[in-house]
Amino acid sequence: MSRRSLRSWLPVLTAALVAAPIATAHAQVWRTVTASRQRASADSLRLRVYFGAGTFNLEAAAEPLLYDVDMRYDAGRVRPMHRYDAATGTLTIRSDSAIGHPFSLNLKRGGLNFNGPGDDRNGTDLTVALARGIPLDLSLSLGACDATLDLANLSVRRLHLESGASQTTLTFGTPNPVAMSSLDLDIGAAGLTVNALGNAHASAVNVSAGVGGAELDLGGTWSGTMNLVVRAALGGVTLHIPQDVGVEARVAKTLGGLDAPDLTERDGTYYSSNWGTATRKVVIDATATLAGLEITRD
Amino acid sequence: MPTRRPVYTRAAILAAALAVAASATDLAAQAKHSPARALSLGDSIAAVVDSLRHDPNGIAIERSAVQTGAQTVAPGTTVNGSIASWHGPLDVRGTVTGNAVALGGDIVVHTGGTVRGDAVALGGHVQLDGGTVQGEMRSLSALTVGPLARTAPRTPAQATKRSLSLSVGWYLVLSVIGLFAALFARGNLETVAERIRDDFSRSFLYGVVGQIALLPALVVGIVALCITVIGILLIPFAIVGFVLGGAGALALGFLAMSYVTGEAAMRWRGAVSPYTPPPVVQFLFIGLSLYFVLWMIGGLLSWAGWFGAVLRLIAAMVTWVAVTVGFGAALVSRGGTRAPGGRVPPPQAPPPLSDASWQTPTPVSGVAAARRPTPPPRSVQH
């Protein structure tokens, strides 16, 4: 390109570079809503969350609150709602009509928006704090977001987590005071990291992992036998199991792989060397379809 | 015809200016119809009460419950029903059997104070100072106005503006990408363009087949990686790479097609000189602008019902053909790295003799020089 030609196109280039940010900008109207309720006589709480895009945090509330919800959202894009039904003790929070999909090109409002998981420039920020000391029944349905679930100091009786394309970190920071009757983790295209799963006080754990894979740390305070069912497809699941825990693993592989150097196979089942003597054990029933399962001893 | 060149330059600049103007107009309109805003003294109480009722996190109160200025529920007194303050704080020291609402102020529930319903502050906060709220304590930063823009039915003017915004957005994005392609991948761009010129119909055919085969190719690739087991870890990268590659081929193809279109337009105007290198950027922007104009016309007539729809359909079909041809050419030329036919260009044949060449000892077209045969060097014998 000659110098003259370049000079003649300079205004066009300048105009384009100036116009591009303008055209891609979106007039955001941020709004905050905080809602809390004193615990009073409530003896349990059910939480239902349907969350689309943004950042989601779950943690313990300060006394004497039953719940404390903090939402920050773009009122031009989404109208989150929350309802508490005192008769059933159910708190429902819905923010699933937010900006659609990860890495989508959103031209609907005259601008371009590339939304990744946890893109807090465009998504909703939601923090939910729940009462300590009362049994909790949690059902979380997450879309494309960054989720941090810190269940320390909470009494979780049931947890069902369903995630589409979210990057989720679930931490049982302290031992769960109540026995968890159901712990289901259903992960789609993003990732899941579970810390101190042993603190969950769950005798049965179901994990279904998709493309993004999952990493589960079975550390924490627990006793007895934990039954862990893992369904992995098109991704990888890594289990970090403490050395003193006895392991029995039955793995069904369909174009999948198992990496468990510390386990020994007997009659199609893998055992750790301390299986017969360990005071706490984990029984793994895994299915790996086009996926890999890794078991490490920490 | 170098004198005509500024006409195209000005046209492109005008197009860019239009893009800027349309975007700015759109932003201004968005600001005007802001879906949330803070309370002001000029607001109508009835309108605010109505808006609060329809807010998903709001509350329903009677207009008659709203009193202007600071409000206090004195100790030992009971308000039967709800109470609300307008642009002032609400201090609760007694009992409110309904809801306590502050529109443009804080709610403070002092020791001995009780709210049996909800305590809601719009543009303020709810504070507990030893009191009790049996319902929910809620603070809303702003008032919600109107429905969500995405769910609101579009007026013809809004539909037109939206169509124009779409066109402008794509034009700007493609312009910037095109500029980078012309500066840093000019060879690839020209090779793909050459493919298009060389065999338009075959490029179109390859483009159609390529578009149909995109998804199956991705699936086959994933399965192939899975079979190797170790390749499973590469699947996310493969997916991202495949999507980027496909998008790149589509973009490169469309830009090459725009380049060919711009070149054709310039030739039609007689503004292409055979003695100077082709102005790639100019051809590219003119081609892009032509497609952009097509969409702009369709967008400008969005209000015109089926007629506008037909125009936009035509624009979409033309663009699809351009994208398909370009995509096919990009595939065949492997992203512009392989010349037409995949062959080395044949050596130039000598030009044919002219009719008058026999009349002169030396042909008019010249005589090809031949190397004079030289004997091999003799070995020296002593």
Side-chain angles (χ1 to χ4, degrees):
Chain A
M1 188 163 39
S2 69
R3 183 175 290 180
R4 184 179 171 186
S5 172
L6 184 63
R7 197 166 51 237
S8 68
W9 284 100
L10 207 56
V12 181
L13 173 63
T14 308
L17 290 178
V18 168
I22 296 174
T24 56
H26 163 62
Q28 291 171 323
V29 189
W30 293 106
R31 188 174 193 244
T32 58
V33 173
T34 60
S36 59
R37 182 181 294 267
Q38 291 177 293
R39 183 172 156 183
S41 60
D43 57 359
S44 66
L45 177 65
R46 291 180 179 181
L47 175 68
R48 303 282 180 268
V49 174
Y50 306 89
F51 190 72
T55 306
F56 173 54
N57 296 301
L58 182 65
E59 59 195 27
E63 294 288 357
L65 296 177
L66 179 64
Y67 62 81
D68 188 358
V69 179
D70 194 343
M71 291 187 280
R72 177 179 177 271
Y73 58 91
D74 181 0
R77 292 178 181 278
V78 63
R79 298 281 165 80
M81 59 75 66
H82 79 285
R83 285 285 178 274
Y84 176 71
D85 183 352
T88 59
T90 303
L91 172 65
T92 304
I93 301 171
R94 184 175 286 275
S95 179
D96 54 351
S97 58
I99 42 175
H101 312 285
F103 309 114
S104 66
L105 186 62
N106 189 344
L107 293 160
K108 293 186 175 179
R109 294 179 57 78
L112 308 174
N113 295 291
F114 297 92
N115 307 312
D119 190 344
D120 54 6
R121 289 181 299 112
N122 297 320
T124 299
D125 291 337
L126 172 65
T127 298
V128 179
L130 302 176
R132 305 158 189 247
I134 61 169
L136 301 172
D137 180 347
L138 311 177
S139 176
L140 313 173
S141 180
L142 310 178
C145 66
D146 268 350
T148 303
L149 315 176
D150 181 3
L151 303 186
N153 302 311
L154 294 178
S155 304
V156 184
R157 189 169 53 192
R158 181 176 176 273
L159 170 61
H160 177 75
L161 171 64
E162 190 178 327
S163 172
S166 297
Q167 187 62 44
T168 306
T169 301
L170 170 62
T171 304
F172 294 89
T174 56
N176 188 5
V178 298
M180 193 178 283
S181 62
S182 170
L183 174 52
D184 300 321
L185 308 172
D186 189 351
I187 310 302
L192 168 71
T193 301
V194 181
N195 299 315
L197 181 60
N199 283 336
H201 200 173
S203 57
V205 179
N206 292 295
V207 179
S208 178
V211 174
E215 190 162 352
L216 279 68
D217 164 34
L218 272 65
T221 305
W222 56 290
S223 59
T225 300
M226 177 193 292
N227 291 294
L228 177 60
V229 178
V230 177
R231 300 279 178 268
L234 287 175
V237 174
T238 302
L239 305 176
H240 300 280
I241 303 175
Q243 288 283 357
D244 65 308
V245 174
V247 181
E248 178 189 296
R250 290 184 294 274
V251 184
K253 294 173 284 187
T254 307
L255 293 177
L258 171 67
D259 182 10
D262 294 334
L263 304 185
T264 307
E265 184 183 3
R266 290 201 306 268
D267 302 328
T269 304
Y270 296 84
Y271 296 94
S272 63
S273 57
N274 63 343
W275 172 249
T277 58
T279 56
R280 51 180 188 165
K281 299 177 179 179
V282 58
V283 177
I284 301 169
D285 181 3
T287 303
T289 307
L290 298 173
L293 175 65
E294 183 181 358
I295 300 175
T296 65
R297 310 301 300 275
D298 295 335
Chain B
M1 300 287 282
T3 52
R4 287 184 179 174
R5 198 166 140 187
V7 174
Y8 290 100
T9 307
R10 281 199 295 270
I13 292 173
L14 182 63
L18 273 175
V20 174
S23 303
T25 308
D26 187 58
L27 266 188
Q30 284 183 22
K32 186 179 177 184
H33 300 292
S34 173
R37 62 182 176 81
L39 279 183
S40 76
L41 281 169
D43 288 327
S44 152
I45 295 177
V48 171
V49 166
D50 184 58
S51 178
L52 203 56
R53 177 182 291 115
H54 291 98
D55 192 304
N57 296 296
I59 193 168
I61 53 169
E62 296 298 323
R63 166 66 183 86
S64 57
V66 183
Q67 303 294 323
T68 302
Q71 303 293 316
T72 301
V73 180
T77 62
T78 299
V79 174
N80 291 312
S82 298
I83 182 172
S85 65
W86 174 252
H87 288 289
L90 173 58
D91 289 280
V92 180
R93 298 177 189 277
T95 301
V96 178
T97 61
N99 301 316
V101 181
L103 304 175
D106 292 338
I107 298 176
V108 184
V109 186
H110 300 275
T111 304
T114 300
V115 178
R116 291 185 185 158
D118 293 342
V120 179
L122 174 61
H125 295 92
V126 179
Q127 299 170 26
L128 276 181
D129 183 24
T132 303
V133 176
Q134 294 179 359
E136 190 173 79
M137 296 168 283
R138 203 148 67 242
S139 303
L140 316 177
S141 67
L143 190 66
T144 304
V145 182
L148 280 175
R150 63 186 302 171
T151 56
R154 291 191 183 89
T155 63
Q158 287 172 330
T160 303
K161 189 180 69 182
R162 178 175 172 272
S163 297
L164 294 179
S165 300
L166 277 169
S167 308
V168 167
W170 278 109
Y171 177 70
L172 291 177
V173 169
L174 287 170
S175 297
V176 173
I177 295 173
L179 195 68
F180 276 95
L183 290 176
F184 302 112
R186 179 173 175 160
N188 301 60
L189 192 68
E190 288 184 326
T191 304
V192 177
E194 195 181 345
R195 275 280 177 185
I196 295 171
R197 287 190 221 98
D198 193 51
D199 198 341
F200 186 91
S201 55
R202 206 165 68 162
S203 295
F204 178 75
L205 189 65
Y206 275 112
V208 171
V209 173
Q211 287 172 7
I212 294 171
L214 270 177
L215 195 59
L218 177 62
V219 173
V220 168
I222 290 174
V223 171
L225 284 174
C226 289
I227 289 172
T228 63
V229 180
I230 198 164
I232 290 170
L233 297 173
L234 299 175
I235 287 176
F237 302 100
I239 292 173
V240 171
F242 187 84
V243 171
L244 287 178
L250 284 167
L252 180 67
F254 182 66
L255 290 171
M257 189 62 198
S258 300
Y259 171 69
V260 173
T261 307
E263 183 187 25
M266 291 287 277
R267 284 193 192 284
W268 181 64
R269 296 272 302 184
V272 177
S273 167
Y275 305 108
T276 57
V280 175
V281 177
Q282 197 173 1
F283 287 168
L284 188 60
F285 274 81
I286 288 166
L288 276 176
S289 299
L290 287 174
Y291 290 110
F292 171 62
V293 164
L294 211 56
W295 279 100
M296 284 295 278
I297 293 171
L300 281 169
L301 293 171
S302 295
W303 55 269
W306 65 268
F307 183 64
V310 168
L311 286 177
R312 286 199 301 282
L313 182 65
I314 291 171
M317 289 177 67
V318 170
T319 307
W320 176 75
V321 169
V323 168
T324 304
V325 171
F327 183 56
L331 288 182
V332 174
S333 66
R334 296 176 188 170
T337 57
R338 190 178 173 192
R343 63 187 185 280
V344 178
Q348 291 276 331
L353 299 180
S354 67
D355 291 341
S357 62
W358 63 273
Q359 296 176 356
T360 57
T362 304
V364 174
S365 54
V367 176
R371 180 181 289 274
R372 181 182 175 185
T374 54
R378 293 179 186 172
S379 58
V380 179
Q381 294 182 352
H382 297 282

